[in-house]
Amino acid sequence: MPNLPKPRRRPWQPPRQNNAPQTGRKVKNPFYQTMPWRKFRAGQKEIAIEQSRKIMEEIIKEGKPLPPAFEKLQPLCAECLKGTPFVKKKYTAARVLDHIKPINPKDAYNTAGGRFGEPLSPDNVQWLCDTHHAKKSGAEHLFHSKR
């Protein structure tokens, strides 16, 4: 078996440490690692793909060219689909199942008298693209950090 060349370390990068703590995105709420959430997310994805299929069929019936988001069937961003009077509706692939009303970070199933949303309610989730998810999460973070 041939030996592959070792990747070079770039001089501006610090040397890698194998036992270094994790950097980058960390999941803050352990609820997102549970099986009920994973099963719920998979079910919501199937529903969203079926909705995408219906939208794709409507576009084909109208005789319009298919946007790139339909290259493979996947959920579409709820915010991009809304559009506004100034910005027309877009078809963007969604990657994140987001809670409309945030869940309790300490105990996901405790709604704290309506302050937090239900974690496994289909009415409290929406699919978002990375751009809209970043905007919404940033706004929520600012709101909750001021309280």
Side-chain angles (χ1 to χ4, degrees), residues 31 34 36-37 103-104 106-112 117-120:
F31 167 74
T34 63
W37 169 252
I103 61 171
N104 192 337
K106 294 178 182 164
D107 178 13
Y109 296 99
N110 181 4
T111 59
E118 291 287 332
L120 299 176

Side-chain angles (χ1 to χ4, degrees), residues 80-115:
C80 292
L81 283 175
K82 285 180 186 173
T84 65
F86 305 106
V87 179
K88 69 178 190 172
K89 180 169 42 170
K90 294 189 303 184
Y91 300 103
T92 311
R95 294 182 42 197
V96 182
L97 183 61
D98 181 67
H99 285 93
I100 297 169
K101 195 170 185 181
I103 61 171
N104 192 337
K106 294 178 182 164
D107 178 13
Y109 296 99
N110 181 4
T111 59
R115 183 170 173 216

